[in-house]
Amino acid sequence: MKKTIKILCLVMAFILFALMAMGSSSDDSGQKDVEVNDSANAGTSTESIEEQVLLERDGIKITANEYVDEMIMGEGIKLLIENTSAKNVGVGCNALIVNNYMISDLFSCSVAAGKKANETMYLSSSELEAAGIENIGQIEIYFHIYDSDSYDTLFDADVVTVKTNLFDKMDVTGDTSGAELYNANDIRIIGKYVDDTSFWGAAVLLYIENNSGRNISVSCENMSINGFMVNPLFYSNVYNNKMAFDEITIFSSDLEDNNIETIEDLELSFRIYDPDTLENIAETGPISFSVK
C-alpha cells in the first residue's frame, strides 16, 4: 500500500513536471543544506545499448531495442513486449537499479493475449541528479509479470542487466556529504538537505547505503518539525549492496496547520526491516538534526 501511494505521488509530480518543463528552468534556491552544501547537475546523455532479449518465459518476450533521451520524458530504454500466451498480461518492475542506485520507476504496460506493445521504461531524472549520475553504465531490472484481468502474479523474474557503451565510465560514487543519522548493521543513512519547493510541500533528501547482506526496507516514525508532530510519507526499499537517494515527503497541510514557515529543527526515528519477513533489523530512538 505504501509503495502504491508513493508511486501515485510520483506520477502526479511527474505529470506536473512535464507540463512545466517547457516554460521553466531548474532552481535550487529552495534547498536548505543539512550542515553542508550539496548540488548535482545531470549531463547530456550519450548512452547507447545493443538490441538484446531481456526476458523470454511462459509466452512473454521482452526485447530492449534502444536507449532513448527525450526532451520531456527524459532517458529510458525502449522495449518491445510480445505476449504469445493465452492470458492478458501486465508488465511492471519490482525494482529498477541504475549504477547500483535504486531508482523509482513509473513503468507499467498491458499486453493482450497474442499481441505486442512498444513501451519505454523511463528513468527518474530527479533521482539520477540527486545521485550525481551523469554517465549511465548499468541498468538492473526486476520484471514483475501479472494477469492484467485478475492482477494475480504470474511470475517475478530474476534480475536482468543492461550495459550501455559507458559501462567503463559510469558514475558509482555519489555525494555522501551531510548529517549522518544512522550507521550500524552495515547500513548508513545520511540527511542531505531540505527542499522547500517540493510539489507536496517540503521534502528531506536521504542517502541510504545497504551492505547488510540482505534487502532492507526503511520507514520513519514520530517525526516532528520545529517541535510540532507531522505525518510524513516515506518508504524506501534498498537491495543488498545497493544505494538510494530517497525523499521524506512533508505535506503542505501539516506545515500550514502548525504555522511552520521555515523548517529548522527535525526529529524522527527509523524502522529498518526485512521486506519479505517484516522482521525488524533496527528501530532507532529519536534522531535530531537541524537545518542551517
Side-chain angles (χ1 to χ4, degrees):
M1 182 64 181
K2 291 181 178 178
K3 184 176 181 181
T4 300
I5 294 172
K6 185 174 181 180
I7 290 174
L8 289 173
C9 291
L10 286 167
V11 169
M12 293 181 68
F14 191 80
I15 291 172
L16 180 67
F17 171 78
L19 293 173
M20 297 176 63
M22 298 300 294
S24 63
S25 60
S26 176
D27 180 6
D28 293 333
S29 61
Q31 295 178 354
K32 296 185 177 180
D33 295 342
V34 178
E35 295 185 356
V36 295
N37 292 324
D38 173 76
S39 63
N41 296 306
T44 301
S45 171
T46 56
E47 290 85 346
S48 63
I49 62 170
E50 295 182 359
E51 183 175 308
Q52 55 200 279
V53 175
L54 303 181
L55 174 68
E56 192 166 10
R57 174 178 168 183
D58 299 342
I60 308 302
K61 182 178 180 180
I62 303 177
T63 304
N65 285 330
E66 62 177 319
Y67 193 95
V68 297
D69 187 2
E70 300 177 359
M71 181 179 295
I72 294 179
M73 300 300 289
E75 300 179 54
I77 300 176
K78 189 173 182 180
L79 303 175
L80 170 63
I81 303 172
E82 303 173 78
N83 177 16
T84 59
S85 75
K87 295 182 178 180
N88 301 326
V89 303
V91 180
C93 284
N94 284 328
L96 180 62
I97 304 169
V98 176
N99 294 15
N100 292 329
Y101 284 89
M102 308 295 298
I103 298 293
S104 298
D105 71 274
L106 304 176
F107 182 75
S108 180
C109 176
S110 295
V111 187
K115 304 299 181 182
K116 305 175 184 180
N118 284 304
E119 295 286 346
T120 300
M121 176 179 290
Y122 293 103
L123 312 178
S124 171
S125 59
S126 62
E127 294 183 24
L128 296 177
E129 183 177 349
I133 295 175
E134 296 182 1
N135 298 327
I136 295 175
Q138 177 174 281
I139 302 163
E140 298 168 85
I141 308 167
Y142 290 79
F143 283 110
H144 171 64
I145 313 299
Y146 58 95
D147 186 314
S148 60
D149 296 320
S150 66
Y151 294 96
D152 291 336
T153 296
L154 298 177
F155 63 89
D156 289 317
D158 293 333
V159 63
V160 293
T161 301
V162 179
K163 294 182 179 180
T164 78
N165 60 312
L166 300 182
F167 177 76
D168 293 332
K169 301 177 181 178
M170 69 177 182
D171 304 314
V172 294
T173 304
D175 183 354
T176 60
S177 59
E180 186 169 84
L181 307 180
Y182 179 84
N183 189 350
N185 302 302
D186 292 316
I187 300 166
R188 293 179 71 203
I189 303 176
I190 294 175
K192 297 290 293 175
Y193 56 73
V194 173
D195 181 4
D196 287 328
T197 64
S198 171
F199 175 75
W200 299 105
V204 180
L205 182 68
L206 302 179
Y207 166 81
I208 305 172
E209 181 179 330
N210 175 24
N211 296 303
S212 67
R214 55 179 168 177
N215 299 342
I216 65 170
S217 293
V218 183
S219 61
C220 71
E221 302 171 344
N222 300 322
M223 185 173 187
S224 65
I225 297 175
N226 300 354
F228 292 94
M229 300 300 296
V230 296
N231 296 299
L233 175 65
F234 178 66
Y235 172 80
S236 185
N237 268 335
V238 186
Y239 281 25
N240 183 44
N241 292 326
K242 304 300 179 184
M243 300 161 284
F245 281 89
D246 217 335
E247 291 183 344
I248 302 176
T249 298
I250 304 161
F251 295 104
S252 57
S253 57
D254 275 339
L255 299 176
E256 293 167 1
D257 290 346
N258 292 297
N259 297 315
I260 299 174
E261 296 182 357
T262 303
I263 296 175
E264 297 176 346
D265 300 311
L266 300 98
E267 184 176 281
L268 51 72
S269 58
F270 290 110
R271 180 187 174 220
I272 305 170
Y273 58 97
D274 186 304
D276 297 319
T277 66
L278 302 183
E279 173 190 0
N280 277 352
I281 298 170
E283 286 186 292
T284 72
I287 299 171
S288 299
F289 58 105
S290 62
V291 180
K292 290 184 179 181

